[in-house]
């Protein structure tokens, strides 16, 4: 197994062209801090302490350059400037049980869903003007935004993914979950959603609900808590503590023995419940 994993890592990196080199970084929570993993350099840096809580969701405001994340145990959402030479944690808003958070920087809005009171909220990026968008998001856990086409995607762990307008109108279901799922992401370029369920299946669907695909399946993996998509790669967490990645085109190779499966980028000592992946060039 160790030999195969070594081969997997080297095979993927060997085939990357110079233009496609891995410039991505991953932000993720440990038990006490928000960490940054540099995929190219394979090193980890501590950015800021979060007080010791579960962080279910991280998102980034690329207009104002802030990272936002939920702290369910502290009943709030916090943020910090990034990149910055002086990173300090700032209180943003209080909320009863925030889980999923998503930023709409073009319209100066932050959206989030609560796990306990089944509400969808919105406020300004300075924390003011809090409004309840909907009281009908029962057990919603995940939220992603398409700010260009003005669609909101909300994930319900035992049900599936629904889409709506930003005012929670024009609602439709685009994917069914047959197995518990607590993580999803959207590829805005391809206009597809990706999710990883508790059976270790990574699946994908067009934003109109068509063309459902299983991209990857490995039922030896367990505890799948986070997923994010960037360019040609899907990044994910398995076994609670491992950051992994796979080429989105893996499905093309399913009948070929040469290409390897997932690449394990980093194994942490703490549970990882969310990730945010970005291209470090231009940050």
């Amino acid at each position: 197994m160790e030999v195969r994993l070594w081969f997997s890592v080297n095979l993927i990196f060997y085939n990357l062209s110079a233009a496609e080199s891995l410039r991505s970084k991953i932000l993720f929570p440990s038990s006490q801090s928000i960490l940054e993993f540099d995929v190219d350099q394979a090193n980890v840096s501590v950015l800021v302490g979060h007080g010791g809580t579960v962080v279910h969701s991280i998102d980034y405001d690329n207009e104002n350059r802030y990272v936002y994340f939920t702290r369910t145990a502290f009943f709030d959402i916090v943020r910090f400037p990034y990149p910055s030479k002086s990173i300090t944690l700032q209180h943003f808003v209080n909320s009863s049980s925030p889980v999923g958070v998503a930023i709409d920087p073009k319209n100066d809005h932050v959206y989030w869903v609560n796990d306990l009171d089944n509400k969808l909220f919105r406020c300004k990026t300075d924390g003011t003007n809090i409004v309840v968008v909907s009281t009908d998001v029962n057990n919603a856990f995940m939220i992603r935004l398409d700010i260009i086409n003005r669609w909101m995607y909300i994930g319900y762990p035992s049900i599936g993914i629904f889409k709506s307008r930003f005012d929670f109108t024009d609602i439709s279901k685009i994917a069914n979950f047959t197995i518990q799922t607590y993580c999803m992401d959207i590829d805005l370029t391809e206009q597809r959603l990706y999710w990883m369920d508790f059976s270790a299946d990574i699946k994908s669907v067009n934003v109109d609900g068509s063309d459902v695909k299983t991209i990857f399946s490995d039922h030896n993996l367990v505890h799948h808590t986070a997923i994010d998509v960037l360019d040609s790669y899907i990044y994910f967490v398995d076994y609670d503590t491992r950051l992994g990645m796979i080429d989105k085109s893996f499905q093309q190779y399913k009948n070929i023995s040469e290409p390897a499966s997932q690449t394990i980028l980093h194994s942490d000592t703490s549970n990882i419940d969310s990730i945010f992946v970005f291209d470090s060039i231009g940050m």
Side-chain angles (χ1 to χ4, degrees):
M1 176 64 73
E2 292 179 358
V3 173
R4 267 195 297 241
L5 182 57
W6 176 88
F7 179 74
S8 164
V9 173
N10 282 276
L11 178 67
I12 290 180
F13 280 87
Y14 178 80
N15 285 296
L16 290 172
S17 67
E20 202 181 15
S21 61
L22 291 173
R23 305 168 304 188
S24 53
K25 293 187 177 182
I26 305 173
L27 303 186
F28 67 95
S30 69
S31 60
Q32 297 294 325
S33 305
I34 301 296
L35 307 180
E36 175 194 87
F37 178 77
D38 187 314
V39 176
D40 184 47
Q41 301 297 322
N43 58 28
V44 177
S45 304
V46 176
L47 296 181
V48 66
H50 59 56
T53 181
V54 176
V55 176
H56 286 299
S57 183
I58 304 174
D59 204 8
Y60 185 62
D61 177 353
N62 57 8
E63 294 281 335
N64 300 297
R65 293 176 176 260
Y66 277 95
V67 173
Y68 292 77
F69 62 91
T70 59
R71 300 195 307 176
T72 306
F74 294 128
F75 312 109
D76 65 5
I77 298 173
V78 293
R79 69 178 189 175
F80 61 88
Y82 181 83
S84 173
K85 293 181 180 179
S86 178
I87 295 179
T88 55
L89 200 62
Q90 302 174 7
H91 176 265
F92 181 63
V93 294
N94 292 319
S95 196
S96 63
S97 54
V99 281
V101 64
I103 315 301
D104 175 12
K106 296 295 184 185
N107 293 279
D108 195 36
H109 283 152
V110 177
Y111 290 81
W112 71 95
V113 289
N114 274 357
D115 189 30
L116 295 180
D117 61 13
N118 303 317
K119 292 179 181 178
L120 167 65
F121 291 89
R122 184 191 71 220
C123 72
K124 306 288 283 185
T125 54
D126 63 1
T128 62
N129 194 29
I130 298 175
V131 299
V132 177
V133 179
S134 174
T135 58
D136 191 26
V137 288
N138 295 345
N139 300 313
F141 200 85
M142 303 153 276
I143 181 169
R144 289 291 184 268
L145 304 178
D146 178 351
I147 60 175
I148 297 174
N149 299 299
R150 310 299 297 164
W151 286 108
M152 174 187 299
Y153 298 87
I154 295 179
Y156 300 79
S158 301
I159 301 173
I161 303 172
F162 288 75
K163 68 185 292 188
S164 74
R165 292 300 181 184
F166 280 27
D167 60 356
F168 211 63
T169 60
D170 199 8
I171 304 169
S172 63
K173 189 177 186 180
I174 66 166
N176 289 306
F177 293 159
T178 57
I179 298 175
Q180 290 281 103
T181 302
Y182 287 90
C183 55
M184 72 176 190
D185 195 31
I186 183 171
D187 184 324
L188 295 175
T189 302
E190 292 186 350
Q191 287 289 286
R192 294 187 67 86
L193 284 110
Y194 292 79
W195 66 94
M196 190 175 191
D197 63 34
F198 268 21
S199 73
D201 284 348
I202 296 178
K203 296 184 178 182
S204 176
V205 66
N206 284 330
V207 295
D208 63 0
S210 64
D211 191 31
V212 179
K213 293 180 179 178
T214 298
I215 306 297
F216 172 74
S217 183
D218 186 348
H219 294 176
N220 293 317
L221 303 180
V222 295
H223 301 161
H224 317 102
T225 52
I227 191 170
D228 211 337
V229 179
L230 180 67
D231 298 330
S232 300
Y233 295 95
I234 301 169
Y235 299 82
F236 60 89
V237 173
D238 70 67
Y239 288 99
D240 287 330
T241 61
R242 303 196 311 178
L243 293 174
M245 101 177 167
I246 188 171
D247 193 312
K248 283 194 297 188
S249 61
F250 175 77
Q251 191 183 41
Q252 301 173 13
Y253 308 133
K254 284 203 298 187
N255 296 320
I256 304 175
S257 59
E258 268 296 296
S261 54
Q262 77 276 8
T263 300
I264 304 304
L265 300 170
H266 170 71
S267 293
D268 207 73
T269 57
S270 301
N271 285 7
I272 303 171
D273 293 288
S274 55
I275 57 176
F276 178 78
V277 186
F278 63 93
D279 189 329
S280 60
I281 302 299
M283 281 291 290

